[in-house]
């Protein structure tokens, strides 16, 4: 069995672990650092099915060091099969802790060690293999990034919202909301459409999906993105004010509201607190009032909203 590291958003590692268990029947665990999940498997390409991750890294080694020269010597002794048939590579490095060298110096010495050992060309843009050499305190982590493109890129994104979510986080929001087949879902701040598109890609017509935004340009862009993703017909888009949802949608219609509300200076909203208050009040008026029961006397949940405020 070979050890792999999966990267994700810090805080949703449990979503990744649950997805690995559900889809691949494999055990996984929280990595040493936030945003990382570890597992073992014989076939890493199975991991490409996962929707909650960004990159897949093959673990090569972890060792203690005192100086950059220690790292150089160790890298010269490591066997990295992916480099044997590669024409070019690049090294990416990060540091955590106090060191007498910078990330760039670490990257440079690691790259030199691999050039001296494998005699391959270094290319920062047109590379075949990416090697990760990270320093955490007095330990050095070495891995091979097997995903050249991040797995969050589900389709050609034509329109980008100023504060757009990435798809793994949208997937996590769907899981946290416990969305099931037959649900009616609304994203009232849909922006570029990440959440409704991710919902459509996951449920393939088994739920009703509605997306709205007060900005007409955002709605046009979200429609274009949905078309590129091949799910335009599965989402009903509408221009609507999220603070007055009861004027645009029927009362007690939605099972769940999942959204990434506006925030930050880029959105140029003067009274964000009032917007949130009005939105929550209007969302309450359109959510189903029925209590869903999992046991005869035990309410499982009342319809709710899930937010990602970053």
């Amino acid at each position: 069995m070979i050890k792999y590291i999966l990267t994700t958003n810090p805080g949703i590692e449990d979503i990744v672990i649950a997805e690995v268990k559900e889809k691949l029947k494999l055990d996984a665990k929280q990595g040493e650092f936030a945003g990382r999940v570890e597992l073992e498997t014989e076939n890493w390409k199975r991991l490409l099915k996962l929707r909650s991750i960004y990159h897949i890294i093959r673990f090569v080694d972890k060792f203690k060091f005192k100086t950059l020269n220690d790292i150089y010597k160790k890298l010269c002794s490591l066997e990295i099969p992916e480099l044997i048939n590669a024409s070019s590579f690049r090294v990416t490095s990060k540091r955590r802790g106090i060191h007498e060298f910078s990330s760039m110096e670490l990257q440079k010495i690691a790259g030199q060690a691999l050039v001296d050992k494998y005699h391959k060309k270094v290319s920062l843009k047109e590379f075949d293999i990416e090697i990760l050499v990270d320093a955490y305190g007095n330990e050095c982590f070495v891995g091979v990034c097997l995903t050249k493109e991040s797995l969050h890129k589900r389709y050609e994104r034509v329109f980008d919202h100023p504060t757009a979510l990435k798809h793994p986080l949208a997937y996590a929001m769907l899981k946290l909301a416990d969305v099931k087949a037959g649900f009616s879902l609304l994203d009232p701040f849909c922006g570029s459409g990440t959440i409704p598109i991710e919902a459509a890609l996951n449920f393939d017509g088994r739920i009703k999906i509605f997306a709205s935004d007060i900005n007409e340009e955002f709605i046009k862009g979200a429609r274009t993105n949905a078309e590129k993703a091949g799910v335009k017909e599965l989402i009903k888009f509408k221009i609507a004010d999220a603070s007055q949802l009861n004027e645009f949608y029927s009362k007690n219609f939605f099972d769940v509201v999942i959204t990434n509300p506006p925030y930050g200076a880029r959105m140029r909203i003067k009274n964000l607190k009032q917007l949130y208050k009005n939105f929550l009040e209007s969302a309450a008026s359109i959510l189903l009032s029925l209590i869903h029961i999992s046991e005869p006397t035990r309410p499982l949940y009342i319809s709710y909203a899930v937010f990602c405020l970053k």
Side-chain angles (χ1 to χ4, degrees):
M1 299 290 276
I2 301 172
K3 181 177 178 179
Y4 296 93
I5 311 294
L6 310 178
T7 67
T8 190
N9 294 90
I12 65 166
E13 297 89 350
D14 58 329
I15 299 293
V16 178
I17 292 169
E19 187 184 15
V20 168
K21 185 73 172 179
E22 177 188 350
K23 293 182 179 178
L24 306 179
K25 312 303 179 187
L26 294 174
D27 291 324
K29 65 178 182 178
Q30 168 84 47
E32 291 187 54
F33 301 99
R36 291 195 171 191
V37 170
E38 300 177 2
L39 55 77
E40 292 184 352
T41 183
E42 294 179 352
N43 180 9
W44 74 269
K45 291 190 175 180
R46 297 174 64 198
L47 305 175
L48 295 171
K49 298 177 181 179
L50 302 175
R51 306 189 69 85
S52 56
I53 66 173
Y54 294 95
H55 286 287
I56 302 167
I57 301 165
R58 182 179 74 79
F59 175 81
V60 175
D61 200 3
K62 185 174 70 172
F63 55 89
K64 293 185 181 298
F65 71 93
K66 291 183 179 179
T67 67
L68 279 176
N69 192 48
D70 294 337
I71 295 176
Y72 175 87
K73 290 179 179 179
K74 183 65 176 180
L75 286 173
C76 285
S77 70
L78 290 180
E79 296 298 326
I80 304 179
E82 290 88 350
L83 281 173
I84 295 174
N85 297 319
S87 298
S88 61
F89 75 96
R90 81 171 182 184
V91 174
T92 303
S93 297
K94 296 179 181 178
R95 291 186 311 110
R96 291 185 184 178
I98 300 173
H99 303 98
E100 294 181 350
F101 53 84
S102 66
S103 296
M104 288 298 294
E105 289 172 321
L106 172 59
Q107 185 173 303
K108 184 177 180 180
I109 199 71
Q112 188 60 57
L114 296 175
V115 167
D116 292 346
K117 179 177 177 64
Y118 291 97
H119 307 288
K120 303 295 183 179
K121 180 178 69 174
V122 174
S123 177
L124 298 181
K125 293 185 178 180
E126 300 299 323
F127 58 90
D128 295 328
I129 298 294
E130 181 176 11
I131 309 298
L132 307 181
V133 181
D134 299 332
Y136 300 115
N138 67 341
E139 289 189 324
C140 184
F141 166 87
V142 182
V144 179
C145 189
L146 302 175
T147 44
K148 196 168 184 179
E149 287 285 335
S150 174
L151 297 178
H152 82 271
K153 298 178 180 179
R154 312 273 203 247
Y155 53 90
E156 181 186 354
R157 199 179 185 113
V158 179
F159 171 74
D160 260 325
H161 186 273
T163 58
L165 287 174
K166 288 187 171 63
H167 279 270
L169 197 49
Y171 172 86
M173 294 170 76
L174 293 171
K175 299 302 288 185
L176 288 169
D178 196 27
V179 177
K180 293 180 172 61
F183 268 29
S184 292
L185 177 154
L186 170 66
D187 178 0
F189 295 103
C190 74
S192 56
T194 304
I195 293 171
I197 291 172
E198 184 65 21
L201 290 171
N202 275 273
F203 286 93
D204 193 25
R206 292 178 292 124
I207 65 173
K208 297 177 181 179
I209 305 170
F210 298 79
S212 60
D213 202 291
I214 198 170
N215 189 312
E216 184 177 358
E217 291 304 311
F218 291 170
I219 290 295
K220 288 180 180 178
R223 279 199 183 103
T224 302
N225 285 342
E227 185 173 11
K228 286 293 183 179
V231 295
K232 182 181 177 182
E233 301 306 316
L234 298 178
I235 305 169
K236 295 183 179 180
F237 291 98
K238 179 183 290 190
I239 299 171
D241 185 346
S243 65
Q244 302 176 43
L245 293 173
N246 55 320
E247 295 185 10
F248 298 92
Y249 296 105
S250 300
K251 185 178 180 181
N252 298 344
F253 182 75
F254 294 99
D255 294 278
V256 63
V257 173
I258 305 179
T259 195
N260 178 33
Y263 64 94
R266 283 181 294 176
M267 296 308 296
R268 299 178 182 177
I269 297 175
K270 293 181 179 179
N271 195 339
L272 201 59
K273 184 176 181 180
Q274 188 62 45
L275 172 62
Y276 284 2
K277 180 178 182 295
N278 293 341
F279 157 61
L280 289 169
E281 289 176 349
S282 68
S285 70
I286 61 169
L287 285 167
L288 286 169
S289 60
L290 295 176
I291 296 178
H292 298 255
I293 305 296
S294 61
E295 296 176 8
T297 59
R298 179 185 171 197
L300 177 60
Y301 61 84
I302 301 175
S303 301
Y304 47 85
V306 176
F307 308 104
C308 171
L309 299 178
K310 291 189 179 179

